[in-house]
Amino acid sequence: MYFIDTHTHLYDEQFAGDADEAVGRAVRAGVTKMILPDIDRSSRKAMFTLADRFRGTLFPCLGLHPTSVGPGWEEEIEEMESMTEEKIQAIGETGLDFYWSREFADEQEKAFERQIRLACRKGLPVIVHSRDATEAVFKVLERCRHLSPVGVFHAFSGSIETYRRLSGYGDWYVGIGGVVTFRKASIAETVRQIPLDRILLETDSPYLTPVPHRGERNESSYIPLIAEKIAVQKGIDIEEVASVTSGNAERLFSI
Ligand code: NI
């Protein structure tokens, strides 16, 4: 039995000094592959340097996070579009985040669309971050529908109706993380109705730490806690959760 963490920011400064140990703990916990979504150019070098040290275990991506979209966003997208030498497994994370600010809402939408188009040109999946922006996300997906994008809605917390609606806009998976272990989290109920063959496991570390570690820094070695909770909610074995979600991740990210 092994697991894949499809969303972990192990290059974040919260891991400064013990990122290598965090990778080791994850591998010993059975988390044998980890996807590293990109944030913006400020942390990109740290991400590629870490991924280089653990080839075949850590897989980097390329993206501009919606909360990093501001003045100069277009130049940063152009820089990403012209990067051809780095081996990446996905475009992201990208998407829309209106929770913190709507100041750059229009720019976020343009940057999101440009990144979906980039992914489709490169034949790569997209890692989507959506927060307080569901309708605006669907508006952008509508404009890209003819491109048949593939990817994952990371940290999915939407309703079963939102999940069903997604299937009309391409080939989409949902990333389920630590929130599923929280008491009263609606996703714990929704996950019963989402087919296992559409689910990816993720930590989003260092954020969204699962129970019983809430309040501490999150890390990829906690993935089995998330898998166990999904197994309980669905009334199946953790082995089945591990094998189906790992297969999903390997297909989507070609790893
Ligand atoms: Ni993230």
Side-chain angles (χ1 to χ4, degrees):
M1 177 168 70
Y2 67 96
F3 305 91
I4 298 177
D5 186 351
T6 60
H7 199 113
T8 179
H9 300 281
L10 283 163
Y11 55 87
D12 186 276
E13 53 196 21
Q14 289 193 47
F15 289 101
D18 81 331
D20 290 24
E21 287 82 355
V23 174
R25 283 192 294 274
V27 170
R28 284 194 297 279
V31 184
T32 55
K33 296 176 194 172
M34 289 155 258
I35 302 283
L36 304 179
D38 191 17
I39 299 290
D40 58 36
R41 58 158 73 114
S42 70
S43 55
R44 196 162 289 145
K45 190 159 180 285
M47 177 189 66
F48 281 125
T49 304
L50 183 66
D52 256 355
R53 270 211 302 287
F54 294 96
R55 285 200 185 184
T57 301
L58 301 184
F59 299 90
C61 306
L62 190 60
L64 180 61
H65 193 284
T67 60
S68 294
V69 172
W73 70 272
E74 204 156 13
E75 188 195 327
E76 184 150 1
I77 295 278
E78 278 159 17
E79 183 181 299
M80 286 166 44
E81 287 169 343
S82 63
M83 283 176 73
T84 50
E85 72 281 13
E86 302 283 5
K87 178 143 173 50
I88 52 168
Q89 295 321 120
I91 296 296
E93 53 189 292
T94 177
L96 303 176
D97 190 320
F98 297 159
Y99 174 80
W100 298 104
S101 166
R102 285 176 182 268
E103 188 185 355
F104 292 100
D106 289 349
E107 290 84 354
Q108 283 191 31
E109 288 183 24
K110 286 178 190 147
F112 182 27
E113 184 171 347
R114 286 269 288 267
Q115 290 179 84
I116 294 176
R117 289 177 181 276
L118 177 62
C120 292
R121 278 204 303 283
K122 287 181 176 283
L124 291 171
V126 189
I127 298 170
V128 177
H129 169 114
S130 170
R131 191 163 186 198
D132 284 0
T134 305
E135 288 312 313
V137 163
F138 277 108
K139 201 173 79 187
V140 174
L141 290 182
E142 182 65 48
R143 293 205 291 269
C144 298
R145 192 202 283 255
H146 64 288
L147 300 169
S148 303
V150 303
V152 54
F153 269 68
H154 120 79
F156 184 76
S157 61
S159 63
I160 192 67
E161 289 75 27
T162 302
Y163 164 75
R164 291 191 180 121
R165 207 172 146 196
L166 269 178
S167 61
Y169 292 87
D171 188 9
W172 294 102
Y173 291 82
V174 294
I176 303 294
V179 176
V180 78
T181 68
F182 298 176
R183 270 185 359 123
K184 297 185 194 157
S186 63
I187 190 63
E189 287 307 312
T190 309
V191 83
R192 297 177 195 263
Q193 299 178 66
I194 301 177
L196 196 56
D197 64 8
R198 290 281 112 188
I199 291 175
L200 302 177
L201 304 179
E202 64 167 66
T203 55
D204 199 16
S205 56
Y207 312 107
L208 301 178
T209 313
V211 172
H213 299 286
R214 263 188 105 169
E216 301 166 27
R217 183 187 70 180
N218 197 4
E219 60 172 60
S220 294
S221 65
Y222 297 158
I223 279 283
L225 296 167
I226 296 161
E228 179 60 39
K229 179 67 188 236
I230 294 171
V232 167
Q233 291 303 94
K234 286 186 162 298
I236 57 179
D237 294 335
I238 189 171
E239 285 81 4
E240 187 178 352
V241 174
S243 74
V244 174
T245 59
S246 295
N248 296 343
E250 287 166 340
R251 270 194 314 280
L252 181 65
F253 294 108
S254 304
I255 57 175

